[in-house]
């Protein structure tokens, strides 16, 4: 694990940003803090960040809008912070491309642990993408969907679809197990590498975002189908 990664904290509550920044800096990270969405977007354009922690509620724009804007061209991990306890904000954040979600008040040590987990995944993905010792090109061509593992590219009817590393891994795993119904538990444990909890909505949120990018109707998708009570499948 390389230390010194640049972490951006976007939160208008100075005490929270300073506390979180202190813990991250003590762990060896370079921390940059800002209190508004406009300032954050400007900073992101001028610097290369490895991860961002975004508060949902900001004075000029919400964290969802910032995350949505980021995902147009950046793929570094994003962790959302919110004071709301309900699942609606969590699902919203994950659907628009956030990688994790933490509810206030939080234990700073938990946030540091989550940051480390997301950075490990990101570094592992980049190492795979940059590797020159890969097997010959592997790809699936399914009814207009072309997904290439070596090039980490996804095309739909000749048009490239921009997927996050997690979205690509989900789609690849489903294509790799084409014709088989993959449970949410299996998908989560294979893609995220963590133990699945029954109350976990992460898979559902990412499937929803993936379908949106593929232009699939939620009720009658043609590529990634839901088998109710069982899981997901690519036929």
């Amino acid at each position: 694990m390389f230390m010194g990664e640049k972490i951006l904290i976007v939160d208008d509550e100075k005490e929270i940003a300073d506390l979180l920044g202190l813990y991250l800096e003590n762990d060896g990270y370079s921390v940059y803090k800002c209190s508004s969405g406009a300032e954050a977007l400007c900073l992101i354009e001028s610097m290369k960040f490895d991860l961002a922690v975004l508060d949902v509620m900001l004075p000029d724009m919400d964290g969802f809008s910032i995350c949505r804007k980021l995902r147009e061209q950046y793929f570094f991990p994003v962790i959302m912070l919110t004071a709301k306890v309900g699942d609606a904000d969590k699902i919203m954040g994950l659907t628009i491309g956030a990688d994790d979600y933490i509810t206030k008040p939080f234990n700073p040590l938990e946030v540091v642990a989550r940051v480390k987990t997301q950075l490990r995944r990101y570094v592992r993905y980049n190492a795979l993408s940059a590797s020159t010792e890969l097997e010959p090109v592997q790809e699936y061509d399914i009814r207009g969907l072309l997904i290439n593992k070596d090039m980490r590219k996804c095309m739909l009817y000749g048009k490239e679809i921009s997927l996050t590393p997690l979205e690509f891994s989900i789609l690849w795993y489903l294509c790799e197990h084409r014709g088989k119904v993959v449970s949410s538990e299996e998908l989560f444990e294979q893609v995220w590498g963590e133990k699945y909890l029954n109350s976990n909505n992460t898979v559902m949120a990412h499937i929803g975002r993936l379908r949106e990018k593929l232009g699939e109707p939620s009720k009658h998708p043609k590529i990634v189908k839901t088998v109710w009570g069982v899981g997901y499948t690519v036929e």
Side-chain angles (χ1 to χ4, degrees):
M1 170 90 180
F2 295 99
M3 302 307 288
E5 289 96 332
K6 293 185 177 65
I7 310 294
L8 175 64
I9 300 175
V10 187
D11 198 316
D12 61 332
E13 295 185 66
K14 188 176 186 301
E15 296 80 4
I16 291 179
D18 288 345
L19 178 64
L20 187 52
L22 179 63
Y23 273 80
L24 288 168
E25 286 172 347
N26 285 342
D27 239 67
Y29 297 104
S30 298
V31 176
Y32 298 79
K33 294 172 285 186
C34 52
S35 58
S36 71
E39 185 183 358
L41 292 174
C42 183
L43 200 56
I44 288 167
E45 288 182 0
S46 63
M47 297 186 64
K48 182 180 183 299
F49 287 100
D50 298 288
L51 183 144
V53 180
L54 304 180
D55 186 24
V56 171
M57 300 300 293
L58 294 167
D60 56 344
M61 67 177 74
D62 59 55
F64 299 135
S65 299
I66 299 173
C67 184
R68 191 178 290 110
K69 186 73 174 175
L70 289 183
R71 284 298 179 244
E72 292 177 2
Q73 54 182 319
Y74 301 103
F75 298 106
F76 55 76
V78 172
I79 298 176
M80 305 293 292
L81 295 179
T82 183
K84 297 182 180 180
V85 181
D87 284 340
D89 272 5
K90 180 175 182 179
I91 293 173
M92 167 68 82
L94 294 174
T95 299
I96 62 175
D99 298 277
D100 204 351
Y101 197 95
I102 298 175
T103 304
K104 297 178 181 178
F106 53 78
N107 183 332
L109 291 175
E110 179 189 356
V111 179
V112 173
R114 301 274 193 102
V115 165
K116 289 180 178 179
T117 297
Q118 292 300 329
L119 286 173
R120 276 197 300 269
R121 291 173 182 161
Y122 187 56
V123 169
R124 189 164 60 240
Y125 165 76
N126 284 340
L128 176 62
S129 298
S131 175
T132 57
E133 298 181 1
L134 297 174
E135 298 176 356
V137 174
Q138 302 176 53
E139 64 182 27
Y140 290 98
D141 189 349
I142 304 170
R143 296 190 302 279
L145 172 71
L146 182 67
I147 182 169
N148 187 297
K149 185 178 182 181
D150 288 353
M151 298 179 68
R152 308 296 288 190
K153 281 190 176 183
C154 177
M155 309 282 289
L156 184 62
Y157 304 122
K159 180 181 178 181
E160 185 169 353
I161 306 297
S162 179
L163 301 179
T164 66
L166 281 174
E167 290 164 353
F168 185 94
S169 296
I170 289 170
L171 185 56
W172 178 261
Y173 191 82
L174 290 174
C175 288
E176 196 173 32
H177 296 79
R178 181 181 179 185
K180 172 189 174 184
V181 179
V182 179
S183 68
S184 294
E185 177 179 357
E186 178 183 346
L187 198 54
F188 185 85
E189 293 183 356
Q190 291 296 324
V191 173
W192 277 263
E194 298 177 6
K195 186 66 178 175
Y196 179 82
L197 301 176
N198 290 333
S199 60
N200 197 323
N201 292 313
T202 303
V203 173
M204 180 179 68
H206 279 81
I207 289 288
R209 177 62 174 165
L210 180 58
R211 284 174 174 161
E212 182 182 331
K213 288 188 175 182
L214 294 174
E216 294 232 275
S218 58
K219 291 186 177 180
H220 302 289
K222 296 181 179 179
I223 299 174
V224 180
K225 298 185 177 182
T226 299
V227 179
W228 295 108
V230 184
Y232 304 96
T233 184
V234 170
E235 296 179 345

